[in-house]
Amino acid sequence: MSFEKLGLLPALLETVKAQGYKIPTPIQAQAIPVILEGRDVLGGAQTGTGKTAAFALPVLQKLNETGRRSKHPRCLVLTPTRELAAQVGESMAVYGRKLPLRSTVVFGGVGINPQIDKLRRGIDILVATPGRLLDHCGQRTVDLSQVEILILDEADRMLDMGFIHDIKRVIKLLPGERQNLLFSATYSNDIRGLADKLLRDPVMVEVDPRNKAAEKVDQVVHPVALKEKKVLLAKLINDGDWQKALVFTRTKHGANRLATYLEKGGIGAAAIHGNKSQTARTRALSEFKQGKLKILVATDIAARGLDIAALPQVVNFDLPNVAEDYVHRIGRTGRAGSSGMAISLVSADEQKLLRPIERLLGRDILVENIDGFEQNQADKDEETFVNFNRRSPGQKRGRYSKPRQSGAGRTGGNSRNSNHSRARSGSAGNR
Ligand code: AMP
């Protein structure tokens, strides 16, 4: 399958080529022709599958064909988070740069006036988070009466975040006659309910079902005492010479503490979560993307939808409480054909969270003990500072090097004891 065969305009084909995309991803191959036909779509795809281009390219083409009748938006994309809104907005701008269409993004946490100015000047595509969009509607700074296409991106996450009422309020402001596209990584009953109400005779396009996406990613669990997690993480980063890893924590406070700890040890890191200002989040993301920061520590919501290309490692510093979140998290690695590694640091009290995750994946995760870091080891004083940034002479560099040495990261010594044990989960003594 080639992009040419999907029926896209030459201008869009050029853009796709300039982006370096050679063949459509499965979601693009399935969704683009159907969206061009004007059908409603229920898309089962998570971030990393190329779903943004799957809706952005045909939508741009359709808006270009129908032409501009007013200065009010003709396409509305709703996203759960500011970051995802910014990324979708950026994609719309990139994919649409050869077409005379204007797009803008509105989300909370930043000044409303520049957004009002842009809306006043006239736009074709509006990408928005629900709360700020409703603020604009309330102030009558946006008019949704001309919307021809509605896209709900990461609808499952929008429902998780409690946006259902906002979504319903927005839908009431739209014309009844329109095309609807709903993308979701999971199909809960709530999503089915929303899809039933919103979509007319939808075409279902589904790729990489959530438990399949994870198969591209090597996954490992390292049992470790809670208080030793950050020491182990620093060791893994240094021993493996990691250049870019996304680390998930369960809490905002935990994200801050971990980023500070890594920074103190000389590993460039920043935390990204809902309490950070938009400016701080954008700066952290951009420094991470440019390679100025090696480690981005994030909570689930902040990380949702982040488009970070070729992320070699994702770390679950804490396991998520909800198994689906594990799959979302590890979906940040192993993208667009590149291989990825998902590493979970699991303390004794998190063991119970592993089973539901493995059930969802449909398989066990490899458990690998690292010498000196087993769970049953007495917790160390949390405040002990370890000069973990020093690499011992001759220590192996490279992506996630194995075997791991027990002492090197913690003492600066050069222990060669590689007596790490491997066991299938379930059969391991410490599971
Ligand atoms: P998305 O799922 O929309 O977040 O896209 C994930 C990543 O895949 C982004 O970095 C896109 O630039 C990239 N991408 C999208 N479509 C293709 C394609 N056909 N070939 C290669 N990369 C792609």
Side-chain angles (χ1 to χ4, degrees):
M1 175 61 76
S2 66
F3 276 107
E4 282 75 10
K5 291 209 171 110
L6 295 177
L8 291 171
L9 286 170
L12 289 170
L13 291 175
E14 273 177 47
T15 310
V16 159
K17 206 168 158 200
Q19 286 298 108
Y21 304 168
K22 294 194 172 62
I23 53 162
T25 66
I27 188 87
Q28 291 162 2
Q30 290 181 49
I32 291 173
V34 193
I35 298 174
L36 285 175
E37 263 177 47
R39 299 283 303 271
D40 279 10
V41 165
L42 177 58
Q46 52 183 284
T47 297
T49 54
K51 76 171 156 59
T52 316
F55 64 74
L57 293 169
V59 160
L60 286 160
Q61 178 153 335
K62 295 200 77 199
L63 295 174
N64 188 59
E65 274 164 9
T66 50
R68 194 178 174 74
R69 283 190 300 271
S70 79
K71 63 178 201 160
H72 302 309
R74 293 185 291 141
C75 170
L76 173 65
V77 188
L78 287 181
T79 73
T81 62
R82 301 158 184 184
E83 282 79 12
L84 185 60
Q87 280 168 205
V88 172
E90 205 180 300
S91 298
M92 285 289 185
V94 168
Y95 298 140
R97 69 173 164 237
K98 288 185 184 288
L99 299 176
L101 296 168
R102 285 189 279 183
S103 62
T104 198
V105 183
V106 302
F107 49 72
V110 293
I112 200 164
N113 288 333
Q115 298 176 353
I116 294 176
D117 285 346
K118 284 199 185 128
L119 291 168
R120 236 185 238 136
R121 272 181 252 141
I123 45 152
D124 299 279
I125 299 158
L126 177 59
V127 185
T129 50
R132 179 54 67 93
L133 177 65
L134 285 169
D135 290 343
H136 280 287
C137 294
Q139 294 187 29
R140 299 190 185 282
T141 46
V142 70
D143 177 340
L144 300 180
S145 67
Q146 305 300 313
V147 170
E148 299 161 22
I149 306 172
L150 170 69
I151 302 162
L152 299 187
D153 195 9
E154 301 199 350
D156 48 350
R157 189 51 55 141
M158 280 199 270
L159 298 191
D160 288 350
M161 290 169 73
F163 284 136
I164 186 65
H165 299 295
D166 286 352
I167 293 173
K168 285 182 179 164
R169 284 173 62 201
V170 171
I171 289 173
K172 280 197 189 128
L173 300 170
L174 306 177
E177 190 62 34
R178 57 169 199 270
Q179 184 177 14
N180 301 290
L181 314 175
L182 186 155
F183 288 88
S184 175
T186 54
Y187 286 127
S188 62
N189 287 341
D190 287 344
I191 286 291
R192 282 199 196 93
L194 179 65
D196 284 349
K197 285 202 192 87
L198 189 73
L199 307 176
R200 266 174 301 181
D201 187 22
V203 178
M204 299 243 330
V205 294
E206 189 170 20
V207 293
D208 263 355
R210 53 212 162 104
N211 51 355
K212 292 278 177 346
E215 281 170 18
K216 288 182 286 187
V217 179
D218 287 337
Q219 298 169 61
V220 66
V221 160
H222 296 314
V224 57
L226 188 63
K227 287 185 176 173
E228 289 291 304
K229 280 189 177 185
K230 51 191 189 312
V231 183
L232 175 56
L233 175 63
K235 173 178 164 54
L236 292 172
I237 294 168
N238 285 321
D239 287 4
D241 197 20
W242 293 5
Q243 294 306 313
K244 203 174 254 191
L246 183 58
V247 178
F248 286 92
T249 60
R250 210 178 292 147
T251 65
K252 298 168 189 174
H253 190 53
N256 284 339
R257 271 196 313 203
L258 180 59
T260 306
Y261 176 81
L262 294 173
E263 279 278 317
K264 274 192 193 160
I267 297 173
I272 179 167
H273 54 66
N275 284 3
K276 293 266 176 185
S277 70
Q278 188 56 39
T279 322
R281 288 155 76 164
T282 309
R283 193 193 321 120
L285 184 60
S286 130
E287 289 184 354
F288 181 66
K289 281 190 172 180
Q290 291 164 28
K292 288 186 193 158
L293 290 175
K294 284 186 180 180
I295 309 295
L296 198 60
V297 188
T299 55
D300 286 291
I301 287 179
R304 182 74 181 162
L306 288 181
D307 174 22
I308 304 158
L311 199 53
Q313 285 95 11
V314 164
V315 177
N316 294 303
F317 190 80
D318 305 309
L319 278 184
N321 288 325
V322 179
E324 270 87 1
D325 282 345
Y326 176 90
V327 181
H328 287 312
R329 287 177 176 190
I330 72 167
R332 314 289 121 200
T333 183
R335 285 189 181 190
S338 59
S339 64
M341 183 96 207
I343 298 122
S344 300
L345 308 185
V346 179
S347 61
D349 65 334
E350 291 175 303
Q351 292 288 322
K352 59 183 181 298
L353 299 171
L354 267 178
R355 187 41 68 195
I357 291 171
E358 290 178 328
R359 218 177 292 129
L360 182 68
L361 294 171
R363 64 179 164 130
D364 291 348
I365 305 173
L366 180 75
V367 174
E368 190 172 58
N369 285 305
I370 296 188
D371 284 352
F373 286 95
E374 292 82 2
Q375 275 167 6
N376 57 4
Q377 182 187 306
D379 285 356
K380 293 278 152 63
D381 176 1
E382 205 172 350
E383 298 313 314
T384 306
F385 179 74
V386 182
N387 186 8
F388 48 68
N389 200 31
R390 197 172 297 144
R391 182 175 285 105
S392 54
Q395 200 172 317
K396 191 175 167 190
R397 291 174 73 103
R399 187 181 89 88
Y400 199 64
S401 58
K402 296 179 188 179
R404 300 165 187 91
Q405 293 87 34
S406 61
R410 318 173 94 200
T411 61
N414 58 357
S415 162
R416 274 292 176 237
N417 178 4
S418 59
N419 181 28
H420 61 280
S421 58
R422 282 167 177 263
R424 295 301 299 171
S425 67
S427 58
N430 50 21
R431 290 288 311 275

